[in-house]
């Protein structure tokens, strides 16, 4: 092995480790992601070319270990202890008094930390290199989860800097940040999969995976809060300084950690963190006070399995028991029907909770919630309270199952639940009061009818004051009504009337977008307008005809069809047209599916938006013959990036060439673009 590649690999690893530390530990990226990825790939190819350079502590090896059959057991060199609890200020004063009496001092300095709601881990570094990670287990024996811990980017594979002891065990909490937890559950819910009940369970479930690739896909991170065994090196003599030193060696330390004086200092910390609990990006169930001076810690020692020098001061519980009085259905702004449990009021997470979301029909069934059930409700931070699970053994004989209504409870329109979707929606659209406000905001928005000056505040007043029920009502407003609203006057009212007048002249695609059909965004609206040419044609199309439009699948087609089936929607559209909303009809283009019959095309180079095979399929669906070689009979060559010999051949034969932009136009409209000028 030459010195070149080894030195290069070491250099790339050092770079990646530094960037990783900046990104995951300090939350302060040094380079853009693309640069990180580039260097990562360079290291990967170097390691592939020189397999002898590979080692399991390379940043490329965080993920990819083979799944295990079982976790092996690890004996902790230094027991992992638990903490005594305090719930009231009195108990904190008692704790402080006991500490002072034992130490025979007047006042004690404490290190205060949030008590993270995850699971404890012990990570051993030998000569600065991560060699083992184990869960707490029963405190004396845990499970070896080394390959899972390696996948967590904020856990350094090597400690950095000066003075790292030959052996050091760092201890801390593995947890899942609130945002990652919410996003993961939202994805699971969308796919109809099981959700995790809270970030703690999610973190524990993610870490206890025999296949580390699963752990790698979960948003886990870690804060260090202490050390276990230490050999061949020293540490500072106070807890606060030890944490600062661990931070310098590259470990992630909670930024809230604070050293204070006496019980009063502790209680002030508790109050401050308590006030900010909801806005912290992770869940905590209290705070921990630790005697800061290590000599004092040693003097205090332990009782049974808990140190005398530390205590956990707990916050009010975030999960409580209560009874479901009823299950009602709420209609959201997009028409989504959400089952909501009406509860016996219960004090949880610091507030009285009377409602808890059940998310959707499948979730009610999966959790098997009946009216009359005793349930665990959870209110964590500012997240909407939810039902975690039912205590089946407490179900009364007269408990009733929940049935999703067939009609919207707000407006009586039919509800629809598309196949493969978890959400049931009201089809009432513009007519449904719950959807009105958002519908009107959307209607007036810049990319829809673009009513200048009709902001959220104004929409709220107009809808709340019953001045506007549907977008058509906007065009019936008079200057005096508008001028009577908050923060409005004659002049601003007249401006709004003028803006409304101006918005009447629009295009079919804007109008189709503006009326707010579920899942019809701007590009679908444009495709519909081009395909059908007139509103009447779209309104009378059946599902099958609608599916012929590019990008309209069966689900969207069914949303469109249902929308126009609703008499209320038809009435609103009618009123809008009567009020003068208008647009020029579009000359219908040739039906796309026949547009390319008799044409021979050749694809070459790399496309950005789709693979060549996908492009080929779509062109063939429009009737084209897609050939592999260029000849005089070729009608067009479609050249992506880095096109080679086929492009030169086309040029030499004088065959017209289009780029990817031309291809997109062709797929959307069936029209050939002007040949690309490549001179
Ligand atoms: S110190 C000897 N500090 O709470 C003290 N623990 O009941 C050992 N925890 O299993 C723990 N945040 O998982 C400590 N800042 C913190 C903590 C913390 C959460 C957990 C830890 C431990 C349990 C102790």
């Amino acid at each position: 092995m030459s010195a070149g590649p080894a030195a290069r690999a070491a250099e790339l690893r050092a770079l990646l480790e530094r960037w990783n530390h900046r990104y995951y530990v300090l939350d302060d990226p040094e380079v853009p992601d693309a640069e990180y990825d580039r260097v990562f790939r360079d290291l990967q190819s170097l390691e592939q070319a020189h397999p002898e350079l590979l080692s399991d502590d390379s940043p490329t090896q965080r993920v990819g270990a083979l799944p295990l059959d079982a976790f092996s057991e690890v004996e902790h060199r230094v027991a992992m202890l638990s903490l005594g609890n305090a719930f009231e200020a009195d108990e904190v004063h008692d704790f402080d008094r006991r500490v002072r009496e034992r130490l025979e001092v007047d006042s004690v300095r404490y290190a205060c930390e949030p008590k993270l709601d995850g699971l404890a881990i012990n990570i051993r570094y030998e000569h600065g290199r991560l060699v083992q990670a184990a869960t707490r287990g029963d405190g004396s024996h845990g499970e070896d989860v080394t390959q899972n811990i390696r996948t967590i980017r904020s856990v350094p594979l090597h400690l950095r800097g000066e003075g790292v002891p030959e052996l050091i065990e760092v201890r801390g909490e593995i947890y899942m940040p609130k945002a990652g937890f919410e996003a993961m559950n939202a994805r699971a819910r969308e796919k109809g999969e099981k959700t995790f009940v809270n970030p703690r369970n999610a973190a524990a479930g993610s870490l206890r995976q025999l296949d580390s690739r699963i752990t790698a896909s979960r948003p886990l991170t870690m804060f260090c809060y202490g050390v276990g065994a230490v050999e061949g090196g020293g540490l500072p003599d106070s807890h606060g300084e030890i944490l600062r030193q661990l931070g310098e060696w590259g470990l992630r330390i909670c930024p809230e950690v604070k050293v204070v004086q006496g019980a009063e200092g502790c209680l002030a910390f508790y109050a401050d963190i308590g006030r900010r609990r909801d806005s912290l990006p992770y869940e905590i169930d209290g705070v921990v006070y630790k005697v800061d001076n290590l000599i004092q810690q040693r003097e205090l020692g332990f009782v049974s399995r808990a140190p005398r020098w530390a205590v956990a001061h707990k916050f009010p519980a975030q999960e409580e028991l209560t009874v479901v009085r009823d299950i009602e259905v709420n209609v959201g702004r997009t028409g989504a029907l959400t089952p909501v449990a009406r509860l016996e009021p219960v004090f949880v997470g610091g507030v009285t909770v009377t409602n808890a979301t059940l998310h959707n029909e499948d979730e009610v069934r999966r959790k098997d919630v009946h009216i009359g059930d005793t349930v665990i409700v959870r209110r964590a931070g500012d997240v909407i309270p939810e039902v975690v699970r039912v205590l089946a053994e407490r179900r009364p004989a007269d408990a009733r199952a929940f049935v999703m209504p067939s009609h919207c409870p707000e407006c009586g329109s039919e509800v629809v639940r598309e196949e493969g979707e978890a959400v049931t929606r009201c089809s009432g659209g513009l007519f449904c009061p719950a959807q009105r406000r958002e519908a009107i905001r959307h209607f007036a928005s810049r990319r829809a009818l673009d009513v200048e000056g009709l902001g959220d505040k104004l929409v709220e007043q107009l809808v709340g004051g019953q001045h506007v029920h549907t977008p058509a009502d906007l065009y019936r407003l008079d200057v005096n009504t508008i001028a009577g609203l908050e923060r409005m006057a004659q002049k601003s009212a007249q401006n709004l009337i003028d803006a409304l007048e101006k918005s009447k002249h629009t295009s079919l695609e804007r109008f189709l977008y503006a009326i707010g059909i579920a899942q019809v965004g701007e590009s679908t609206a444009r495709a519909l307008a081009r395909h059908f040419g007139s509103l009447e044609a779209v309104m009378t199309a059946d599902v099958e005809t609608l599916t012929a439009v590019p990008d309209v699948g069966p689900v969207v087609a069914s949303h469109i069809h249902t929308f126009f089936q609703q008499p209320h929607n038809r009435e609103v559209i009618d009123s809008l047209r009567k009020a003068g909303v208008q647009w020029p009809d579009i000359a219908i283009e040739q039906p796309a599916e026949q547009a390319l019959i008799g044409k021979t095309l050749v694809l070459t180079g790399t496309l950005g938006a789709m693979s060549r095979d996908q492009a080929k399929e779509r062109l063939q669906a429009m009737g084209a013959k897609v050939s592999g070689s260029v000849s005089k009979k070729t009608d067009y060559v479609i050249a992506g990036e880095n096109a080679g010999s086929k492009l030169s051949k086309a040029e030499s034969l004088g065959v017209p060439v289009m780029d990817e932009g031309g291809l997109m136009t062709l797929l959307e409209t069936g029209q050939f673009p002007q040949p690309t000028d490549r001179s």
Side-chain angles (χ1 to χ4, degrees):
M1 187 173 77
S2 74
R8 176 82 181 131
E11 187 189 334
L12 296 179
R13 283 174 193 161
L15 257 187
L16 290 170
E17 286 194 0
R18 187 173 93 207
W19 292 343
N20 205 61
H21 176 249
R22 287 281 298 262
Y23 189 97
Y24 289 102
V25 178
L26 303 181
D27 210 3
D28 176 25
E30 184 179 334
V31 291
D33 293 0
E35 177 64 9
Y36 183 94
D37 293 343
R38 222 169 354 253
V39 173
F40 191 88
R41 280 195 304 270
D42 284 352
L43 177 59
Q44 265 179 332
S45 6
L46 191 65
E47 288 171 342
Q48 260 159 24
H50 302 271
E52 72 280 5
L53 294 178
L54 251 182
S55 70
D56 62 4
D57 58 353
S58 168
T60 60
Q61 303 303 303
R62 280 191 182 263
V63 189
L66 289 175
L68 303 170
D69 294 327
F71 295 115
S72 50
E73 197 185 78
V74 170
E75 185 177 352
H76 295 302
R77 297 183 182 208
V78 176
M80 292 182 77
L81 303 166
S82 59
L83 293 167
N85 289 327
F87 294 92
E88 307 293 335
D90 279 356
E91 297 169 82
V92 176
H93 283 292
D94 289 346
F95 163 76
D96 173 56
R97 188 178 35 74
R98 285 194 305 269
V99 167
R100 281 185 291 110
E101 284 173 3
R102 273 193 175 261
L103 295 175
E104 298 180 2
V105 294
D106 292 338
S107 174
V108 174
R109 216 172 54 230
Y110 294 101
C112 305
E113 302 166 8
K115 185 166 188 299
L116 302 149
D117 212 0
L119 64 153
I121 194 85
N122 181 75
I123 306 180
R124 189 157 73 211
Y125 289 89
E126 286 176 9
H127 303 285
R129 181 164 175 243
L130 189 161
V131 293
Q132 188 188 64
T135 59
R136 174 166 179 266
D138 63 5
S140 54
H141 294 83
E143 285 176 321
D144 185 329
V145 289
T146 313
Q147 62 185 43
N148 291 347
I149 288 297
R150 282 180 185 286
T151 68
I152 301 173
R153 300 295 202 275
S154 53
V155 174
L157 299 176
H158 293 105
L159 298 182
R160 48 200 297 122
E162 302 298 308
V164 177
E166 278 169 26
L167 179 144
I168 179 166
E169 291 181 343
V170 297
R171 291 183 172 175
E173 198 84 347
I174 299 290
Y175 68 93
M176 190 177 284
K178 289 175 189 168
F181 168 76
E182 292 301 330
M184 203 175 83
N185 263 0
R187 275 198 302 276
R189 214 171 277 129
E190 234 164 63
K191 288 197 231 154
E193 291 170 0
K194 206 169 166 281
T195 52
F196 284 105
V197 297
N198 57 43
R200 209 200 83 76
N201 286 24
S206 301
L207 195 62
R208 295 200 70 265
Q209 290 287 337
L210 293 168
D211 184 349
S212 63
R213 283 168 302 187
I214 300 179
T215 312
S217 72
R218 304 281 171 79
L220 296 177
T221 185
M222 177 188 186
F223 277 138
C224 294
Y225 53 61
V227 294
V230 181
E231 291 169 18
L235 284 173
D237 59 6
S238 76
H239 184 76
E241 282 301 302
I242 290 176
L243 293 188
R244 197 193 48 74
Q245 175 66 76
L246 293 178
E248 275 178 20
W249 287 333
L251 293 153
R252 195 158 171 266
I253 309 297
C254 177
E256 304 294 342
V257 176
K258 197 173 169 190
V259 177
V260 306
Q261 197 66 41
E264 291 308 328
C266 291
L267 292 172
F269 180 82
Y270 177 87
D272 173 49
I273 294 286
R275 263 192 302 275
R276 294 188 294 118
R277 182 186 188 184
D278 290 358
S279 57
L280 293 175
Y282 41 82
E283 288 222 332
I284 57 177
D285 56 354
V287 295
V288 184
Y289 311 131
K290 300 174 181 171
V291 170
D292 190 43
N293 184 321
L294 254 57
I295 296 166
Q296 293 183 333
Q297 280 193 7
R298 240 166 267 140
E299 201 174 326
L300 289 159
F302 305 88
V303 252
S304 60
R305 309 206 51 78
R308 282 203 194 87
W309 45 263
V311 72
H313 189 182
K314 303 291 270 299
F315 288 135
Q318 291 188 314
E319 292 185 358
E320 285 293 350
L321 285 183
T322 188
V323 172
V324 176
R325 281 179 176 168
D326 199 2
I327 300 177
E328 291 174 4
V329 168
N330 270 4
V331 186
R333 295 185 305 196
T334 58
L337 266 63
T338 307
V340 177
R342 305 283 175 224
L343 306 168
E344 284 299 337
V346 60
F347 191 73
V348 52
V351 298
T352 300
V353 167
T354 53
N355 303 314
T357 180
L358 290 163
H359 298 287
N360 58 51
E361 201 179 357
D362 290 348
E363 191 93 342
V364 181
R365 207 163 307 136
R366 210 173 11 244
K367 289 183 175 159
D368 191 31
V369 185
H370 283 44
I371 299 160
D373 272 344
T374 298
V375 294
I376 297 176
V377 280
R378 170 177 174 79
R379 184 204 172 258
D382 35 20
V383 179
I384 307 164
E386 61 176 351
V387 171
V388 174
R389 69 181 177 89
V390 170
L391 272 68
E393 62 281 10
R394 297 215 199 163
R395 175 167 295 165
D398 61 351
R400 279 183 295 127
F402 165 75
V403 187
M404 185 57 99
S406 60
H407 289 81
C408 172
E410 295 268 352
C411 71
S413 303
E414 271 176 55
V415 306
V416 272
R417 181 171 167 194
E418 300 301 340
E419 228 180 279
E421 285 198 352
V423 189
T424 307
R425 282 179 207 283
C426 162
S427 60
L430 306 178
F431 176 78
C432 179
Q435 297 177 62
R436 238 175 249 159
R437 189 185 337 190
E438 185 59 16
I440 285 165
R441 270 188 204 149
H442 174 77
F443 182 86
S445 66
R446 198 169 50 79
R447 286 151 144 170
L449 282 236
D450 191 18
V451 184
E452 229 185 290
L454 188 55
D456 289 358
K457 287 262 152 51
L458 212 47
V459 172
E460 256 171 53
Q461 288 190 67
L462 289 170
V463 174
Q466 302 284 325
H467 301 293
V468 169
H469 295 86
T470 77
D473 296 336
L474 290 171
Y475 297 101
R476 296 191 196 103
L477 290 170
D478 57 55
V479 178
N480 289 337
T481 309
I482 303 172
L485 300 173
E486 263 172 53
R487 273 185 277 155
M488 292 301 279
Q490 285 291 323
K491 174 94 171 54
S492 45
Q494 187 56 51
N495 288 346
L496 183 61
I497 295 281
D498 294 345
L500 280 162
E501 201 51 43
K502 196 172 141 208
S503 74
K504 287 179 182 174
H505 296 270
T506 187
S507 66
L508 177 56
E509 60 179 80
R510 275 177 177 264
F511 186 80
L512 284 169
Y513 172 65
I515 53 182
I517 307 166
Q519 293 190 21
V520 175
E522 281 173 286
S523 72
T524 309
R526 188 174 319 124
L528 287 168
R530 288 186 183 168
H531 187 90
F532 290 103
S534 73
L535 182 63
E536 286 64 33
V538 187
M539 287 176 74
T540 52
D542 58 22
V543 172
E544 206 191 323
T545 319
L546 287 162
T547 350
V549 179
D551 290 337
V552 174
V555 172
V556 179
S558 155
H559 282 314
I560 300 167
H561 185 69
T562 314
F563 182 92
F564 289 118
Q565 287 300 304
Q566 305 304 311
H568 324 300
N569 292 342
R570 288 171 166 272
E571 275 165 34
V572 171
I573 289 169
D574 213 40
S575 308
L576 283 166
R577 300 202 84 174
K578 284 201 179 112
V581 175
Q582 55 188 282
W583 55 85
D585 278 351
I586 304 169
I588 303 183
E589 288 148 7
Q590 202 179 0
E593 65 264 43
Q594 290 158 31
L596 301 182
I597 283 179
K599 301 287 183 203
T600 303
L601 307 174
V602 173
L603 283 159
T604 181
T606 310
L607 300 173
M610 62 187 92
S611 71
R612 274 217 302 270
D613 279 345
Q614 286 168 328
K616 183 173 169 183
E617 254 174 46
R618 289 183 59 180
L619 291 166
Q620 284 171 335
M622 293 166 79
K625 180 169 176 259
V626 180
S627 162
S629 57
V630 182
S631 74
K632 269 191 270 178
K633 288 195 193 131
T634 309
D635 290 291
Y636 249 102
V637 167
I638 301 161
E641 288 291 305
N642 303 319
S645 62
K646 289 178 195 172
L647 176 58
S648 344
K649 182 144 186 215
E651 280 160 355
S652 66
L653 291 175
V655 174
V657 175
M658 72 175 94
D659 60 10
E660 186 167 354
L663 170 66
M664 295 323 259
T665 314
L666 181 64
L667 290 174
E668 253 173 47
T669 65
Q671 309 275 319
F672 284 100
Q674 292 299 310
T676 308
D677 183 3
R678 290 187 171 258
S679 56

